[in-house]
């Protein structure tokens, strides 16, 4: 079955960096676009970034532009989220997700598969 496994979360001070990874199995990774979402306590899940199947197109939420970078390595079936200049408000559980075809990438309900999430905590 399809599995998406996130890693790389943790505790970091404000201004620091983390790189999240999401390893995929059970699907033809190179045929799927990938996205990152996050959910903070008491808040709805929100879109962070997405990347097309080839890596040729990337999309970002306004609040992470210039700080976060999404990338993928189709040979390793892995998508990454490099997070720099972290802020306390970036604290959340971060999820990766996979989508097929053309979708509105900011809409979480359009994604087909989800990981279990990894906690990111930024201390101020």
């Amino acid at each position: 079955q399809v599995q998406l496994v996130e890693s790389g979360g943790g505790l970091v001070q404000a201004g620091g960096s983390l790189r999240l990874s999401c390893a995929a199995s059970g699907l033809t990774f190179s045929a799927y676009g990938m996205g990152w979402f996050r959910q903070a306590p008491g808040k709805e899940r929100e879109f962070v970034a997405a990347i097309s199947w080839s890596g040729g197109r990337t999309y970002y939420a306004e609040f992470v532009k210039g700080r976060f970078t999404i990338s993928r390595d189709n040979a390793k079936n892995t998508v990454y989220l490099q997070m720099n200049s972290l802020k306390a408000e970036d604290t959340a559980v971060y999820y990766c997700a996979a989508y097929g075809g053309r979708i509105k990438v900011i809409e979480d309900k359009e994604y087909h598969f989800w990981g279990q999430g990894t906690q990111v905590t930024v201390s101020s």
Side-chain angles (χ1 to χ4, degrees):
Q1 75 273 23
V2 175
Q3 281 195 311
L4 302 178
V5 180
E6 301 95 336
S7 61
L11 174 64
V12 65
Q13 287 190 330
S17 298
L18 283 175
R19 188 174 84 152
L20 305 184
S21 300
C22 172
S25 61
L27 76 170
T28 304
F29 182 72
S30 59
Y32 285 82
M34 299 296 296
W36 287 96
F37 287 76
R38 71 186 187 185
Q39 187 167 21
K43 295 189 176 182
E44 292 189 353
R45 188 162 56 189
E46 62 181 354
F47 170 76
V48 175
I51 187 166
S52 62
W53 63 271
S54 66
R57 292 188 301 276
T58 57
Y59 312 87
Y60 295 95
E62 282 297 323
F63 55 79
V64 302
K65 280 185 179 178
R67 300 191 298 127
F68 292 9
T69 303
I70 189 171
S71 61
R72 66 188 297 158
D73 185 337
N74 285 347
K76 294 183 178 180
N77 286 3
T78 302
V79 62
Y80 305 97
L81 185 68
Q82 177 67 43
M83 306 187 295
N84 299 328
S85 302
L86 283 161
K87 306 174 182 180
E89 51 264 44
D90 294 318
T91 295
V93 177
Y94 283 71
Y95 300 89
C96 73
Y99 70 88
R102 295 179 64 129
I103 67 165
K104 187 176 286 187
V105 295
I106 64 171
E107 296 288 350
D108 59 355
K109 62 181 179 292
E110 299 203 27
Y111 286 72
H112 297 93
F113 305 108
W114 288 85
Q116 82 290 349
T118 186
Q119 176 70 47
V120 171
T121 303
V122 184
S123 63
S124 57

